[in-house]
C-alpha cells in the first residue's frame, strides 16, 4: 500500500504563483501548520497553513464555511489559538483537511476566490509556539553526535554500552520553548575551570546550538498503556526544526549523575511550521542498522520500520554574527546533515517513551537530539565542530568561532528534495544570543 | 521581625471539635489547600481548605459572600478547579485568605454558621492534582541519599565532586503526576541482568518508592530573569508529600549519560494537601553546612538562609502489602526522617533553578529528592534499606521486601510537631502497584 496520494503529485501547481517557484519550501505538496497573527496587531492567534509566501488563515476559512464534512470538523480544530485539539483528532482528520486544502489551492480550483480572501502574507505575520506543550522530551538519536560528544566528556569511554540498545532520552523544560525569533540572555551558571578545584560563577563561556528536529505528538496514549512500534506514527502529528541551545561549561559540571539541567533549560527555539508526516511520505527511506551492531529488541523492531521508518530530511545550521548583520553579509553555514543518519527512528522514540506506561499527550514535543552525520563536517553543534573549543571555526568574513558570542543568531533550516517529488521545506528556526544579565 | 502572627497562636481552637484533637494534622493553625469534590458526584472540582475531618468548600464560601477585601479576591481564585491563579497572586493574597479563614473557623466566630454550611466531610471527598503543573523538576537535596545511592551505582565514587556545590536537579514528567490514591502498572522496560552482555525486556524487578517533599511554585519569574535567594520563598506557595516511584533496574541501565527517564516517568504520587510556607513558620530552623564542607557560592548564601532557611518536617513512608490489607493489619513504617537534614534548602532550589534565566510558572512543581537522613534507618527508599536488594527488609507480619511487589501500597506521611506550637500535618500520599500489563 503506497502512502502517496493525490496530494503528493509533483505535477500539482497552485493558483498562488509563489508556491510554484523553484526552491520554495511551502509548495502545494507541503501544507505545514503554524499558529500566527498579523504582526503587532493584537489579533487573536489562530492556526494557519503555509502556501508559497502566504498563510491560509484557518479561522477566516472556517468562517467562510466553504469546506464541509470531515475537513470542516478538522478545520474548526486547526483554526484555534493552539493546535492541540487538531493534533488530538488523529490521522483521518489531518488527512481530510490536507486533501481539502490541496484541492482548494490547486490551479483551477473553484474555491480560489474564497481562499484568496483568507491569505495573509508571511512577511506580515508573527508566530507563537503552535501547541501548549505539556511535556518536552529530548532524545539523543545520532550515534555520531553521541560519539563525538562522548569523546570530549569521557575520552576513554565515548559511547556508553547502553547506547546501541536504548533510545536515550531525558525530560526537558517545556516553559522556555519559544518560536523562531526567540532571543535569550547568555545564561549565568556554575562552571569548573580546567584544573580548578572550586567552581566559579558567571556567564557561560561555551554557549552552543544543537541542530535537531522536533516531533509533535498527536492523539497519544493513556497512562498505563503503551504505543506499539507499528502504531507509533499514527501518534505523530508532524516535525519541526528545533535548536536545543546548550551551555557546555555548565553542562560539563552539572550533568552527573542526573543529566543536563540548567545547561539546557534557559531556551529552546522551534520553527513555527510543523510539516506533517503525510507531507514527508515521499521522503521516507529504509531504516538500517549496521550488521555488526546489536539489532533492536523486539519492541523496537518491525518490518515496516526497516522498509520505510527513516526520513531523508536535509537539515542545516547557519550562523549570522552581529558583524555580518551590520554589514548586510549573508549568514555562514556551519552544519549540514540528514535525519536519515539517525540511529533511532521517530517510531522507535514514541514506542520506547511509552513502553513503561508513560502517557503522551496531544501537543507534547520530542526532540530528536543533535543530528550530526557520519563525517566531521556533518556535525550539528559547535562543540563538535571546534573539537570542544580547541579548534576555531573560520567564518567567510574573517571572524572565527569556538562557541557562540553575544549577538550571534543561529538559523536552522530543513528541507526535503529529490527527483520525482516536490520540495517540502520547514522554513527557519532563528534564535539570537543577548548579553548576560549582570 | 517574627514570621509568626495570630494564625500561629497554639492556643487557637476551632468551633469544629475534630480540629482540636491531639494528633490532628489539620489544625486551625494549618489550613492547607487542595482541589476536591464529593466522591463519585461528577461535581466540578474546586478549591478547599482542610479543617479537622472536614473541608471548607471554597466555591461555596465564595458564593456565600461572607469574606471581603483582599481575602475575597484571594478566595475567588482559590475556589477554582485548579489553584494556579491563586498561586500566582502571591504572599499577600495567601496571607489574607489564611487570616480570614483562621478567624472564621475559631471558636466564637460570628461566621461559624455560614462556614458550617460550606463543610464537606473528608471521608466523602475525592481529590485531583491541585494545579496544572506546567513543568516538574526533581532535585537531589539529601546528601545521605546521594551518598547511599552513589555507593550502589558507583562503589568507587559515591558522591560526585559537584554535589557539594550544585543543587543537582533534573526535569521530570508532569503528565504522569497523580494525587494520592493513584495506582499504576509495574513498568516494563530494558534492564541489564548482572553479568549479562545483552539487556532483557520485561517487568521491572526492582520497583521502589522515594520519600520526598514537593514544592509548588507561586508567582515565579519571567524567562531571562532570576529569583534571588532571599526573594525565593515569596515564590513558593507551599509543600506537599511526593513519592517519586522508581524502577531501579531500568534506571541503572538507562541513566547514563542523560539521567533518569523511563525509570521515573511512569508515575509520581503527591498528597492532595499543600501546606503553605506560612503555616510552616513555627517549624523553621537554621540551615547549616558542615564546617569542613565547601560553603555555598554567593548566589546560594545569605544570612536569612542561615538563620531560618530549613524546615523541620517529619516525613515517613509506610508499606501496606496486599496480605496486610486482606488481613486488616496495620501498615509497617519503613522510613522516617526530617527535611531539616536536606543539604540544600527550598530557597536554594528556587534560586539555583532560575539563575540561568529559566522561568518558573505558577503551579510548577519541584521535588526535593529522596530525603534520607544521616542514619541507615532514616533512608527514604528500599534501594537504600535493602542495600541494593542484598538484604531483605523484615516486615512485622513475617513478610519481607527487597523491592516492591504487586499489590503493595506505599503511604507517605508528614507532620511538624514541637512543644509550644500547634501540630501541622500533610495528611497522606498513597499509591499502589498493579501488576505489569503483559
Amino acid at each position: 500500500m503506497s502512502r502517496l496520494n493525490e496530494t503528493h503529485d509533483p505535477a500539482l501547481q497552485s493558483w498562488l504563483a509563489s508556491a510554484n517557484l523553484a526552491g520554495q519550501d511551502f509548495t502545494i505538496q507541503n501544507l505545514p501548520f503554524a499558529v500566527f497573527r498579523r504582526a503587532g496587531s493584537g489579533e487573536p492567534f489562530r492556526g494557519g497553513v503555509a502556501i508559497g509566501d502566504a498563510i491560509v488563515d484557518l479561522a477566516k476559512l472556517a468562517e467562510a464555511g466553504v469546506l464541509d464534512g470531515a475537513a470542516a470538523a478538522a478545520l474548526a480544530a486547526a483554526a484555534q489559538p493552539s493546535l492541540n485539539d487538531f493534533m488530538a483528532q488523529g490521522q483521518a482528520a489531518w488527512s481530510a483537511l490536507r486533501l481539502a486544502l490541496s484541492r482548494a489551492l490547486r490551479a483551477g480550483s473553484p474555491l480560489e476566490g474564497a481562499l484568496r480572501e483568507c491569505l495573509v502574507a508571511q512577511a506580515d505575520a508573527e508566530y507563537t509556539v503552535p501547541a501548549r506543550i505539556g511535556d518536552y522530551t529530548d532524545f539523543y538519536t545520532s550515534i555520531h553526535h553521541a560519539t563525538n560528544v562522548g569523546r570530549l566528556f569521557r575520552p576513554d569511554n565515548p559511547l556508553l554500552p547502553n547506547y546501541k540498545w536504548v533510545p536515550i532520552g531525558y525530560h526537558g523544560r517545556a516553559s522556555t520553548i519559544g518560536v523562531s525569533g526567540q532571543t535569550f540572555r547568555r545564561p549565568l551558571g556554575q562552571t569548573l575551570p580546567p584544573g580548578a578545584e572550586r567552581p566559579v560563577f558567571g556567564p557561560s563561556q561555551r554557549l552552543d546550538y544543537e541542530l535537531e528536529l522536533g516531533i509533535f505528538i498527536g492523539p497519544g496514549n493513556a497512562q498505563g498503556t503503551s504505543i506499539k512500534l507499528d502504531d507509533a506514527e499514527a501518534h505523530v502529528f508532524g516535525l519541526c526544526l528545533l535548536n536545543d541551545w546548550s551551555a557546555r561549561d555548565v553542562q560539563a559540571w552539572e550533568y552527573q549523575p542526573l543529566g543536563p539541567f540548567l545547561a539546557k533549560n534557559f531556551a529552546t527555539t522551534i520553527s513555527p511550521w510543523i510539516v506533517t508526516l503525510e507531507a514527508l511520505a515521499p521522503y521516507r527511506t529504509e531504516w538500517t542498522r549496521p550488521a555488526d551492531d546489536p539489532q533492536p529488541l523486539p519492541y523496537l523492531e518491525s518490518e515496516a520500520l526497516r522498509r520505510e521508518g527513516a526520513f531523508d530530511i536535509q537539515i542545516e545550521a547557519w550562523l549570522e554574527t552581529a558583524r555580518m548583520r551590520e554589514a548586510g553579509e549573508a549568514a555562514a553555514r556551519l552544519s549540514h546533515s540528514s535525519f536519515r543518519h539517525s540511529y533511532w527512528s521517530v517510531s522507535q522514540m514514541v514506542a520506547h517513551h511509552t513502553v513503561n506506561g508513560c502517557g503522551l499527550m496531544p501537543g507534547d514535543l520530542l526532540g530528536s537530539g543533535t543530528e550530526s552525520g557520519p563525517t566531521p563536517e556533518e556535525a550539528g553543534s559547535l562543540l563538535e565542530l571546534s573539537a570542544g573549543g580547541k579548534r576555531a571555526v573560520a567564518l567567510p568574513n574573517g571572524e572565527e568561532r569556538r562557541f557562540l558570542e553575544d549577538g550571534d543568531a543561529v538559523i536552522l533550516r530543513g528541507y526535503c528534495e529529490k527527483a520525482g517529488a516536490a520540495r517540502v521545506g520547514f522554513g527557519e528556526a532563528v534564535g539570537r544570543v543577548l548579553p548576560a544579565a549582570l
Side-chain angles (χ1 to χ4, degrees), chain A:
Chain A
M1 189 189 75
S2 171
R3 291 176 179 270
L4 301 186
N5 57 45
E6 67 173 79
T7 66
H8 300 101
D9 181 352
L12 289 183
Q13 297 266 303
S14 175
W15 44 253
L16 188 69
S18 62
N20 308 323
L21 296 175
Q24 173 59 257
D25 275 358
F26 304 127
T27 57
I28 191 170
Q29 293 82 359
N30 188 352
L31 304 178
F33 289 83
V35 170
F36 82 103
R37 64 180 176 190
R38 283 184 178 78
S41 67
E43 294 170 351
F45 281 103
R46 63 272 190 184
V49 166
I51 181 74
D53 59 6
I55 303 170
V56 181
D57 180 338
L58 297 182
K60 196 156 182 195
L61 185 62
E63 276 169 33
V66 295
L67 302 190
D68 51 23
L75 176 62
Q80 295 178 19
S82 88
L83 297 178
N84 295 70
D85 288 355
F86 181 51
M87 290 169 170
Q89 288 182 333
Q91 187 62 57
W94 309 334
S95 290
L97 183 54
R98 173 180 167 85
L99 178 62
L101 287 170
S102 171
R103 289 178 176 170
L105 291 166
R106 282 178 209 170
S109 165
L111 293 180
E112 175 179 342
L115 268 286
R116 278 201 184 272
E117 293 294 310
C118 301
L119 294 187
V120 174
Q122 286 170 28
D124 296 339
E126 64 184 358
Y127 301 92
T128 189
V129 176
R132 295 181 309 274
I133 299 169
D135 280 288
Y136 161 48
T137 298
D138 200 19
F139 281 89
Y140 196 53
T141 64
S142 162
I143 195 169
H144 311 295
H145 175 69
T147 306
N148 295 342
V149 171
R151 195 172 288 128
L152 297 168
F153 280 71
R154 296 173 304 275
D156 305 337
N157 193 18
L159 195 69
L160 293 167
N162 57 8
Y163 188 86
K164 293 183 176 179
W165 296 98
V166 179
I168 296 288
Y170 67 105
H171 291 291
R173 178 97 194 159
S175 77
T176 51
I177 298 172
V179 78
S180 186
Q182 184 177 37
T183 60
F184 61 89
R185 292 192 174 279
R186 176 181 296 273
L188 301 172
Q190 285 190 39
T191 59
L192 190 70
E197 295 200 343
R198 298 168 58 94
V200 297
F201 180 79
S204 169
Q205 300 301 312
R206 293 164 74 91
L207 187 63
D208 202 356
Y209 66 90
E210 291 198 324
L211 174 56
E212 304 196 14
L213 287 168
I215 298 156
F216 273 101
I217 296 298
N221 61 308
Q223 194 169 349
T225 69
S226 61
I227 298 176
K228 302 297 171 235
L229 186 73
D230 280 349
D231 298 332
E233 289 179 354
H235 296 275
V236 173
F237 174 69
L239 273 54
C240 65
L241 302 167
L242 187 151
N243 187 342
D244 178 30
W245 304 96
S246 299
R248 301 298 183 188
D249 41 3
V250 173
Q251 185 176 355
W253 175 232
E254 78 170 2
Y255 90 103
Q256 286 191 316
L258 300 182
F261 179 47
L262 300 190
K264 302 272 195 176
N265 67 6
F266 52 91
T268 305
T269 306
I270 60 174
S271 61
W273 296 107
I274 307 172
V275 176
T276 62
L277 283 203
E278 189 172 355
L280 294 168
Y283 297 96
R284 286 177 174 273
T285 183
E286 55 184 9
W287 180 91
T288 57
R289 174 62 56 94
D292 291 348
D293 279 6
Q295 302 306 303
L297 290 178
Y299 79 98
L300 296 173
E301 172 73 278
S302 83
E303 191 274 322
L305 166 75
R306 296 278 177 175
R307 188 176 66 242
E308 55 171 12
F311 293 89
D312 189 12
I313 302 169
Q314 310 305 311
I315 46 178
E316 301 176 344
W318 298 66
L319 176 66
E320 183 191 67
T321 69
R323 233 180 78 189
M324 292 174 183
R325 202 159 43 247
E326 285 153 20
E329 293 166 357
R333 193 176 74 173
L334 294 186
S335 307
H336 68 281
S337 185
S338 167
F339 187 42
R340 78 172 180 279
H341 298 308
S342 180
Y343 199 77
W344 298 103
S345 73
V346 170
S347 58
Q348 287 171 322
M349 288 184 240
V350 170
H352 182 67
H353 202 319
T354 62
V355 76
N356 69 341
C358 180
L360 297 180
M361 309 284 287
D364 282 352
L365 182 65
L366 315 184
S368 65
T370 308
E371 289 299 334
S372 301
T375 67
E377 55 272 25
E378 287 173 288
S381 67
L382 275 168
L383 181 72
E384 294 164 84
L385 292 168
S386 73
K390 290 195 284 292
R391 198 168 59 211
V393 177
L395 303 177
N397 68 346
E399 291 184 280
E400 55 181 38
R401 286 291 182 275
R402 288 174 164 81
F403 291 98
L404 296 172
E405 299 191 1
D406 293 348
D408 283 354
V410 175
I411 304 154
L412 304 191
R413 293 180 183 143
Y415 59 92
C416 304
E417 241 179 20
K418 68 174 183 182
R423 180 178 160 111
V424 168
F426 286 74
E428 295 183 342
V430 185
R432 187 158 48 85
V433 183
L434 304 178
L438 291 176

